[in-house]
Amino acid sequence: MRSAVADPAPRNRLHSRWLALGVIAAGTLMIILDGSIVTVALPAIQQDLGFSATALSWVVNAYLIAFGSLLLLAGRLGDLVGRKRMFLAGTVVFTVASLLAGLATTPAVLLAARFLQGVGSAMAAAVGLGILVTLFADPRERARAIGVFSFTGAAGASIGQVLGGVLTDVLDWHWIFFINLPIGAAVLALAVPALPGDRGAGLRAGADVWGAALITVGLMLAIFGVVNIEAYGVSSPRAGGAMGAGLVLVAGFFVRQARARTPLMPLRILRSRTVAGANIAQVLTLAAMFAFQVLAALYMQRVLGYGALRTGLAMLPAAVLIGAVSLGVSARLAARFGERAVLLAGLVLLAGALGYLARVPVHGQYVTDLLPVMLLISGGGLVLPALAGLGMSAASEKDAGLASGLFNTTQQIGMALGVAVLSTLAATRANSLAESGSSQAAALTEGYRLAFGIGAGLIGAAFVVALVVLRPTGAGAGARDPR
């Protein structure tokens, strides 16, 4: 007679899901880490490879343009050819491109490698959330998984600044790219057995070549224009002209999708009030948060005289708190009060952080002028997981990659717009005050204060969108109304 034993299958499936989450989180960490680790190494790269001041910004921009413009296409292709295949292929491309970037001896090679890194990042990142929402169907487990996913993004951005300073100072700038090689290899080794296999719907289900061309070129032009705002001004052909042409192509894409027999992006995904509102709120929120990260670092370096490593350490409390809230608090609050309520509470904290920063003095002290901001910015640990949950709320099995790609696209657009526009406004204000006789430190500080005040306004606008557009989500199960 066979003894009764517990069926190990549920436990094995649970273990497999969380292992898959760990793989996706590690891949996301590598991508986000690469985006921020480069910024502190730019002076060393310029000196070693002979970049001009104008060309140096393209070490960042080449990556952003490829990454931001391909996310939506990569997400949809993941639904069609298989999300696991897309994740693996993207990780391979990114890892190989990192090797090429680390070996670069000329500006042209480095820029080409950075563009290729952006391509690989888009392929892997576009389907990450899509894989998660299909693995974690239970609302409580999904909230916990999204909390982990959001933590890796926040941690990667801040750790990148610290690690970039350490690697550049102790070794050299090449190692900011070489560090991706062991991470990429480990992700690939674990992803093959851990990620669930999926066949995809097949290319015939969405083989809209013209639609793919319109959205890819349109986003590429629009992001190209955005990253040139600071250098050339919004009215210039290189910035405003490119953005205008890109928006025309994007509009053409949506017209095409409404008429195509097999659309690349079925417009049903945008009929969800929750998904549309979450993506709009994300653009506004990420514009303010990413601009804060860049401009606060500039304030510490250019006004207070901090070095790269000290700046990264000064911002570390924000990353630690965002991570702690994302992992330990956000899921429980979302299960009890609903994601909309959690989002609203987090936005209040972020608005307080940027509002407090808008009064920062020339001779600022870390404990009194910056540390309170780093504490209040912990609201991001509530906002980011809530936005991710709401943004993926209407994702079905067949559209999960598309919803993930859309969410990541609006994220990148928000980040690019925030840095470009707020940096331009801060620089314009600082130059105007410097010309009228203010000291450099005073002029820079006033420029940053203006940008932080506008950032607080963007957070306020996101609050209004969340309050008016998003429907209340139920307590207990974090229920959502996808209509």
Side-chain angles (χ1 to χ4, degrees), residues 317-334:
V320 172
L321 286 172
I322 289 175
V325 173
S326 297
L327 290 173
V329 179
S330 63
R332 290 199 294 270
L333 291 178

Side-chain angles (χ1 to χ4, degrees), residues 227-279:
V227 299
N228 278 292
I229 288 176
E230 184 175 0
Y232 298 96
V234 71
S235 61
S236 69
R238 188 160 182 167
M243 282 193 296
L247 291 176
V248 169
L249 292 178
V250 171
F253 166 76
F254 284 105
V255 172
R256 168 79 182 176
Q257 298 313 286
R259 300 176 178 178
R261 291 183 59 188
T262 55
L264 182 72
M265 189 183 86
L267 297 183
R268 61 178 176 269
I269 193 70
L270 298 178
R271 296 191 189 118
S272 166
R273 183 171 174 173
T274 303
V275 170
N279 278 280

Side-chain angles (χ1 to χ4, degrees), residues 296-388:
L298 288 175
Y299 166 74
M300 285 185 261
Q301 291 179 332
R302 300 178 67 184
V303 177
L304 302 184
Y306 287 16
L309 182 57
R310 187 180 178 187
T311 299
L313 292 173
M315 299 187 74
L316 195 57
V320 172
L321 286 172
I322 289 175
V325 173
S326 297
L327 290 173
V329 179
S330 63
R332 290 199 294 270
L333 291 178
R336 183 171 181 180
F337 301 107
E339 287 165 334
R340 176 177 178 266
V342 172
L343 173 61
L344 291 171
L347 289 172
V348 169
L349 292 175
L350 290 181
L354 290 171
Y356 190 87
L357 201 57
R359 49 150 297 282
V360 71
V362 176
H363 302 290
Q365 300 297 315
Y366 181 75
V367 173
T368 56
D369 298 307
L370 292 174
L371 184 58
V373 175
M374 302 304 164
L375 301 179
L376 287 171
I377 213 74
S378 62
L382 299 176
V383 169
L384 298 176
L387 282 173

Side-chain angles (χ1 to χ4, degrees), residues 112-461:
R114 288 289 288 161
F115 187 88
L116 192 60
Q117 275 189 309
V119 174
S121 295
M123 295 169 67
V127 296
L129 269 175
I131 295 173
L132 287 188
V133 298
T134 57
L135 281 173
F136 296 91
D138 178 75
R140 290 178 181 270
E141 285 193 348
R142 180 180 291 187
R144 289 174 59 196
I146 288 177
V148 173
F149 183 84
S150 300
F151 162 73
T152 59
S158 296
I159 293 172
Q161 291 181 318
V162 178
L163 190 59
V166 171
L167 290 175
T168 303
D169 290 344
V170 175
L171 299 170
D172 59 53
W173 65 265
H174 299 273
W175 285 91
I176 67 173
F177 299 113
F178 288 148
I179 195 173
N180 292 327
L181 303 183
I183 301 175
V187 168
L188 286 170
L190 292 173
V192 172
L195 296 185
D198 57 318
R199 295 176 60 87
L203 289 175
R204 292 184 178 181
D208 180 13
V209 177
W210 285 108
L214 284 170
I215 192 62
T216 303
V217 177
L219 286 174
M220 197 168 288
L221 284 172
I223 295 170
F224 176 85
V226 166
V227 299
N228 278 292
I229 288 176
E230 184 175 0
Y232 298 96
V234 71
S235 61
S236 69
R238 188 160 182 167
M243 282 193 296
L247 291 176
V248 169
L249 292 178
V250 171
F253 166 76
F254 284 105
V255 172
R256 168 79 182 176
Q257 298 313 286
R259 300 176 178 178
R261 291 183 59 188
T262 55
L264 182 72
M265 189 183 86
L267 297 183
R268 61 178 176 269
I269 193 70
L270 298 178
R271 296 191 189 118
S272 166
R273 183 171 174 173
T274 303
V275 170
N279 278 280
I280 294 170
Q282 176 169 241
V283 170
L284 296 168
T285 302
L286 267 294
M289 286 188 68
F290 196 64
F292 150 76
Q293 181 179 322
V294 173
L295 295 177
L298 288 175
Y299 166 74
M300 285 185 261
Q301 291 179 332
R302 300 178 67 184
V303 177
L304 302 184
Y306 287 16
L309 182 57
R310 187 180 178 187
T311 299
L313 292 173
M315 299 187 74
L316 195 57
V320 172
L321 286 172
I322 289 175
V325 173
S326 297
L327 290 173
V329 179
S330 63
R332 290 199 294 270
L333 291 178
R336 183 171 181 180
F337 301 107
E339 287 165 334
R340 176 177 178 266
V342 172
L343 173 61
L344 291 171
L347 289 172
V348 169
L349 292 175
L350 290 181
L354 290 171
Y356 190 87
L357 201 57
R359 49 150 297 282
V360 71
V362 176
H363 302 290
Q365 300 297 315
Y366 181 75
V367 173
T368 56
D369 298 307
L370 292 174
L371 184 58
V373 175
M374 302 304 164
L375 301 179
L376 287 171
I377 213 74
S378 62
L382 299 176
V383 169
L384 298 176
L387 282 173
L390 292 164
M392 297 297 295
S393 61
S396 63
E397 173 71 28
K398 61 182 178 181
D399 290 334
L402 171 62
S404 177
L406 175 64
F407 187 79
N408 280 285
T409 299
T410 59
Q411 185 180 78
Q412 293 302 311
I413 290 173
M415 291 165 63
L417 273 173
V419 172
V421 174
L422 296 189
S423 295
T424 299
L425 292 174
T428 301
R429 175 66 171 162
N431 291 337
S432 175
L433 291 173
E435 290 173 0
S436 63
S438 296
S439 67
Q440 182 182 20
L444 287 171
T445 302
E446 286 297 322
Y448 296 140
R449 290 175 64 173
L450 172 65
F452 294 137
I454 294 173
L458 291 173
I459 296 294

Side-chain angles (χ1 to χ4, degrees), residues 452-469:
F452 294 137
I454 294 173
L458 291 173
I459 296 294
F463 184 92
V464 172
V465 170
L467 190 65
V468 175
V469 178

